[in-house]
Amino acid sequence: MYFFRLKFGLKQLSIVSSIVLLGLVTAVSAHTVSLIESTPKEGAIVENAPETVHATFDEELLEAGSTIEVFASSGTQVDSGDGSVDLNDPEHASLAVTVPDLADGIYTVYWQATLLDGDASEGTFNFTVGQAAAGERPFQPTAASEEGAGQFNY
């Protein structure tokens, strides 16, 4: 009887240990991507609006789920709607979006990058074209409700 309990106890311990270990491996494997360069650079003041806004990351990105958008300080999206992984980048580690001729002001670039393993990160950076109006502030996207996590309210 004691042998049966010990054997059964070891089997349960083995199963529980496997589940805990799997949970730790899953938690450790989740990671974020880092923005390593942008054009225009974070906080840059440029005389003329760029034709394209770029964001370069430290890992290859999936096309599905990766996007880049540009917003005026009013919260209006001002890009051409073509933000995606830059397929001209052989490493597929960049996002690009074209923008029309932008008026003077502060612009916020929102990006979402999905990695090959499915992990996703998002962030923003700002740049200014010409001279911003007195008191003008960058647009601040706010996180959506829990069921819409990963989306932004504009």
Side-chain angles (χ1 to χ4, degrees), residues 67-124:
T67 189
I68 185 170
E69 301 168 326
V70 181
F71 295 88
S73 59
S74 66
T76 304
Q77 187 171 349
V78 295
D79 61 72
S80 300
D82 59 350
S84 63
V85 173
D86 184 357
L87 299 179
N88 293 318
D89 172 6
E91 295 177 10
H92 297 144
S94 299
L95 297 172
V97 62
T98 58
V99 292
D101 191 24
L102 300 173
D104 284 5
I106 301 174
Y107 295 89
T108 298
V109 179
Y110 164 71
W111 56 265
Q112 182 172 1
T114 303
L115 303 175
L116 296 179
D117 64 5
D119 289 341
S121 298
E122 59 191 3
T124 62

Side-chain angles (χ1 to χ4, degrees), residues 34-38 56-58:
S34 295
L35 177 67
I36 58 173
E37 185 178 358
S38 67
T56 303
F57 301 90
D58 62 350

Side-chain angles (χ1 to χ4, degrees), residues 44-68:
I45 299 173
V46 297
E47 190 68 27
N48 299 305
E51 292 180 11
T52 306
V53 173
H54 291 273
T56 303
F57 301 90
D58 62 350
E59 291 190 47
E60 185 173 357
L61 308 176
L62 281 176
E63 286 184 67
S66 296
T67 189
I68 185 170

